[in-house]
Amino acid sequence: MTDLHDDRILILDFGSQYTQLIARRVREAGVYCEIYPWDAEVAHIEAFGARGFILSGGPESTLDSEKPEVPAALFDLGVPILGICYGMQAIAQQLGGKVENVGKSEFGYASVRARGHTELLRDIQDHETSEGYGMLDVWMSHGDRVAELPPGFKLMASTESAPIAGMADEERRIYGLQFHPEVTHTRQGVAIYARFLHQICGCGSQWTSANIIDATLDDVRARVGQDEVVLGLSGGVDSSVVAALLHKAMSIPGCCVIARATR
């Protein structure tokens, strides 16, 4: 079986309440992922070997003097990047664009016009206007907004309150979304993540429960061989799952599982 960890996505957390939900969406798409803090060591980030990076939203402002920043090395790795909300604003500011605060936060439903025919949003829409423009029903939660695109980027999406609600540098495969595709209120969020993970990053869909179980059983058999295993079984979820996996992996001649209750 192919190593289930070969296709992997790294999520950099900027403090968003939705970061764990981003990870859930990635895993539901059959892709392995991990979450690192935004200020993780660059060497640690590079060693992860990600096929793509997702930059979460966050409560900070890129206009503050002491703000979280995207590790500059990410932009030189040649790996696709998807910035969400604060992640998009950080990309814009660090690559030569401009971020502004208009004194009014936006929280809730928004209708986004997908303007640029980019690989990320191409043919993804909820409905069309009478003029034939593709529209997306999304969830916004932000105070700042991108006011000027960085060099090399084109407009990908817009709303009345956020004229730059999405941007893309397709040559470098760097994308930014002001809205949150990980929440259920963004109706096409699953499709957007699937497009980024599978088509742009080139990840498969092997990270499934069935494949994880099979890979775990193979690993147990390789490690244990013909030896015996003593398992301390408390009756809790963790040790019970281990017991079930051991029983399934070792139900072959010459192997046995000895379960002992713990106090």
Side-chain angles (χ1 to χ4, degrees), residues 111 123-137:
S111 184
D123 300 325
I124 296 178
Q125 63 184 46
D126 288 302
H127 52 89
E128 289 187 358
T129 66
S130 57
E131 297 85 5
Y133 299 132
M135 305 295 293
L136 291 167
D137 297 328

Side-chain angles (χ1 to χ4, degrees), residues 201-228:
C201 296
C203 294
S205 305
Q206 299 302 308
W207 186 255
T208 64
S209 296
N211 287 340
I212 293 170
I213 291 171
D214 289 342
T216 302
L217 295 179
D218 290 341
D219 183 57
V220 169
R221 290 168 183 142
R223 290 172 180 265
V224 175
Q226 297 298 313
D227 291 337
E228 293 183 349

Side-chain angles (χ1 to χ4, degrees), residues 26-189:
V26 174
R27 292 163 185 160
E28 287 175 341
V31 181
Y32 176 78
C33 71
E34 292 186 20
I35 300 172
Y36 285 7
W38 65 270
D39 57 352
E41 292 289 337
V42 172
H44 193 36
I45 292 173
E46 292 179 345
F48 183 77
R51 289 188 179 273
F53 295 98
I54 298 176
L55 314 179
S56 82
E60 308 294 336
S61 171
T62 60
L63 302 176
D64 294 340
S65 57
E66 297 183 3
K67 55 186 177 293
E69 292 190 337
V70 182
L74 258 66
F75 300 122
D76 299 321
L77 294 178
V79 175
I81 299 173
L82 173 61
I84 299 169
C85 197
Y86 181 91
M88 169 179 162
Q89 296 164 11
I91 291 172
Q93 188 179 70
Q94 290 179 229
L95 294 184
K98 181 180 178 181
V99 177
E100 64 180 3
N101 185 288
V102 294
K104 182 180 180 180
S105 298
E106 182 178 18
F107 183 81
Y109 167 83
S111 184
V112 170
R113 175 180 168 185
R115 289 181 174 271
H117 295 289
T118 64
E119 186 175 358
L120 182 64
L121 296 183
R122 185 177 293 111
D123 300 325
I124 296 178
Q125 63 184 46
D126 288 302
H127 52 89
E128 289 187 358
T129 66
S130 57
E131 297 85 5
Y133 299 132
M135 305 295 293
L136 291 167
D137 297 328
V138 306
W139 185 261
M140 292 282 198
S141 178
H142 65 100
D144 299 341
R145 68 184 186 185
V146 175
E148 294 181 11
L149 291 170
F153 282 77
K154 68 177 181 179
L155 182 63
M156 181 168 62
S158 64
T159 70
E160 291 185 3
S161 58
I164 303 178
M167 62 183 192
D169 180 338
E170 298 214 88
E171 183 176 345
R172 290 191 288 176
R173 297 181 297 171
I174 302 176
Y175 301 87
L177 296 174
Q178 185 59 69
F179 57 88
H180 292 269
E182 63 273 9
V183 303
T184 56
H185 302 75
T186 299
R187 295 171 57 191
Q188 297 298 324

